[in-house]
Amino acid sequence: MQGTQQPTSPTAAYTPTDRTVPTRSPDRASYDKELVHSILDEAYVCHLGFVRDGAPVVLPTLFGRVGQTLYVHGSTGSRPLRMTGQADPGLPVCLTVTHVDALILARSAFHHSINYRSVVVHGLAYDVTDPEEKRVALDALVDHVVPGRAADSRPANKKELAATAVIRLDLNEVSAKLRTGGVNDEPEDLALPHWAGVVPLRKGYEAPVGDPDLAPGTQLPGYLGAL
Amino acid sequence: MQGTQQPTSPTAAYTPTDRTVPTRSPDRASYDKELVHSILDEAYVCHLGFVRDGAPVVLPTLFGRVGQTLYVHGSTGSRPLRMTGQADPGLPVCLTVTHVDALILARSAFHHSINYRSVVVHGLAYDVTDPEEKRVALDALVDHVVPGRAADSRPANKKELAATAVIRLDLNEVSAKLRTGGVNDEPEDLALPHWAGVVPLRKGYEAPVGDPDLAPGTQLPGYLGAL
């Protein structure tokens, strides 16, 4: 949703690179910006990868998007954020988002699969030091969880801002990958007695549960109906 | 579910290491094996991180568990699997699994959060070359998606086995991290007019959709009712 407030880039697709062309199933890859943004915006968490002492580290974390830039925040004491602040020119990261849409049960074990939509972003992460960019990024992080929520909450105060680090990762080297559709069994397996088909996963949310200490008269906000 | 078929390890917890003690919110960390296994077994995909040309790569992938070992499979041509086969002694990887259970909407932007359960596994991945271990691993991968499914599908044939690479990652350096509970606003914010509370995410699956070419009389299997 955040992206709709931003000017649209004049080009409609990201440029493939050696790192964003998959070695397997290249027909499932896409570089379409609108598709990439929709997959990113629908995800509650991303998985952020970085290298520490030569070994990979992958951590789940919240994120936000403002146009062609992703933001990740955390405590100033957290490892990847501290490492980004010390990295020159920036910290090499890989940020990945995945939705599992359905289970694909085939007659053959080999053709079992899932329907998914994923986005992989490669690049350098930079510490955000400009106070205005940091404010915009923090709003985007809250709006990413629930669009419209940033305007309906108390903004961070000086102490909270000082305790929060924000890093940015521009969307340049990006690809989406998707599997859609049904079962792809071999023709000779179709007569086997095993059930085969698609099991869609449930999406969305259950009824919101208000905090026991809500101020009297506080109503459930309309934007929660749109989740 | 797979783990229930395996002998239980005599110790109930993984030993913390420098890499598995979080720098932030250490009270949210756990090394309990049962908890770690339950988080792993409930996940459809993991995010596998490895280092390529000095930069991190994070890819979503299916996985399976047999006792204290995780298995990832893929085409023999896929990058991380090929790299594992060439690595000596093994390929450093980080395998992470995350469930988002609920959105936490606080009155303050700062205290917005999510309830989550994650597991991070560090270690060396090894190519599985023993045919019997490979067969057990492939069954675990199918049973991980739907417990009981491996026995109700056609096992991989020679050609399929030859096209499939499997890597193993032992559960030694492992931690879970969780946030549960409700909103943690500052006392002075409680009277603010913003709605605050917990928004639980929907889990489970919708009605399975049978393949149009099912053999006549094929019934929906009972294990799909247990998902």
Side-chain angles (χ1 to χ4, degrees):
Chain A
M1 293 295 287
Q2 298 73 30
T4 57
Q5 301 158 4
Q6 300 300 318
T8 306
S9 166
T11 54
Y14 295 107
T15 306
T17 71
D18 169 54
R19 293 200 288 197
T20 62
V21 174
T23 47
R24 296 295 306 168
S25 311
D27 51 307
R28 292 183 183 171
S30 168
Y31 305 91
D32 181 83
K33 287 187 179 178
E34 264 191 53
L35 177 67
V36 164
H37 296 175
S38 73
I39 293 171
L40 289 168
D41 294 350
E42 194 183 320
Y44 291 116
V45 297
C46 65
H47 283 81
L48 182 71
F50 56 100
V51 180
R52 182 180 172 230
D53 298 336
V57 180
V58 179
L59 299 178
T61 185
L62 296 169
F63 70 106
R65 180 174 72 85
V66 178
Q68 301 296 325
T69 302
L70 299 184
Y71 292 99
V72 170
H73 76 330
S75 153
T76 49
S78 96
R79 219 164 253 160
L81 279 72
R82 228 172 41 212
M83 286 174 68
T84 301
Q86 293 160 356
D88 182 17
L91 184 72
V93 297
C94 181
L95 185 153
T96 300
V97 153
T98 307
H99 303 278
V100 180
D101 294 323
L103 314 178
I104 304 297
L105 273 59
R107 297 157 184 88
S108 59
F110 185 76
H111 283 296
H112 276 68
S113 188
I114 53 168
N115 282 350
Y116 66 93
R117 290 166 294 145
S118 66
V119 164
V120 177
V121 185
H122 299 272
L124 295 174
Y126 296 95
D127 203 21
V128 173
T129 52
D130 177 67
E132 173 60 16
E133 183 179 6
K134 195 168 169 181
R135 194 193 59 72
V136 170
L138 292 176
D139 279 355
L141 271 144
V142 171
D143 277 339
H144 189 90
V145 176
V146 180
R149 179 67 184 176
D152 186 23
S153 57
R154 175 178 67 68
N157 59 32
K158 270 192 185 177
K159 187 183 151 198
E160 291 167 344
L161 279 173
T164 307
V166 176
I167 59 177
R168 65 177 285 157
L169 171 62
D170 289 329
L171 294 172
N172 289 315
E173 200 170 350
V174 188
S175 62
K177 207 169 170 189
L178 307 87
R179 187 200 191 278
T180 57
V183 179
N184 289 335
D185 263 320
E186 304 296 329
E188 60 268 30
D189 286 334
L190 294 182
L192 289 176
H194 311 300
W195 186 89
V198 177
V199 183
L201 296 190
R202 295 179 80 201
K203 303 278 176 172
Y205 67 101
E206 308 284 354
V209 181
D211 185 63
D213 296 321
L214 281 184
T218 305
Q219 300 295 315
L220 191 70
Y223 50 74
L224 280 183
L227 276 188
Chain B
M1 293 297 287
Q2 298 73 30
T4 56
Q5 302 158 4
Q6 300 300 317
T8 306
S9 167
T11 54
Y14 294 106
T15 306
T17 70
D18 169 55
R19 292 200 289 196
T20 63
V21 174
T23 48
R24 297 295 307 167
S25 311
D27 51 307
R28 293 183 183 170
S30 169
Y31 306 91
D32 181 83
K33 287 187 180 179
E34 264 191 52
L35 177 67
V36 164
H37 296 175
S38 73
I39 293 172
L40 289 169
D41 293 351
E42 194 183 320
Y44 291 115
V45 297
C46 66
H47 282 82
L48 182 71
F50 57 100
V51 180
R52 182 181 173 228
D53 298 336
V57 181
V58 179
L59 298 178
T61 185
L62 296 169
F63 70 106
R65 181 175 72 85
V66 178
Q68 301 297 325
T69 301
L70 300 184
Y71 292 100
V72 170
H73 76 330
S75 153
T76 48
S78 96
R79 220 164 251 161
L81 279 73
R82 228 172 39 211
M83 286 175 68
T84 301
Q86 293 160 356
D88 182 16
L91 185 72
V93 297
C94 181
L95 185 152
T96 301
V97 153
T98 307
H99 302 278
V100 180
D101 294 323
L103 313 179
I104 304 297
L105 274 58
R107 297 158 185 87
S108 58
F110 186 75
H111 283 295
H112 276 68
S113 189
I114 54 168
N115 280 350
Y116 66 93
R117 290 166 294 144
S118 66
V119 164
V120 177
V121 185
H122 298 272
L124 295 174
Y126 297 94
D127 203 20
V128 173
T129 52
D130 177 66
E132 174 59 15
E133 183 180 6
K134 194 167 169 182
R135 194 193 57 73
V136 170
L138 291 176
D139 279 356
L141 271 144
V142 170
D143 277 339
H144 189 90
V145 176
V146 181
R149 179 67 185 178
D152 186 23
S153 57
R154 174 179 67 69
N157 58 32
K158 272 192 184 175
K159 187 182 151 200
E160 292 166 343
L161 280 173
T164 307
V166 175
I167 60 177
R168 64 177 287 158
L169 171 63
D170 288 330
L171 293 172
N172 289 315
E173 199 171 351
V174 188
S175 61
K177 206 169 172 191
L178 308 86
R179 186 199 191 279
T180 57
V183 179
N184 289 335
D185 263 319
E186 304 296 329
E188 60 267 31
D189 286 335
L190 293 183
L192 289 176
H194 311 300
W195 186 89
V198 177
V199 183
L201 296 190
R202 296 179 79 201
K203 304 277 177 175
Y205 66 101
E206 309 284 353
V209 181
D211 185 64
D213 296 321
L214 281 183
T218 304
Q219 300 294 315
L220 191 70
Y223 50 74
L224 280 183
L227 276 189

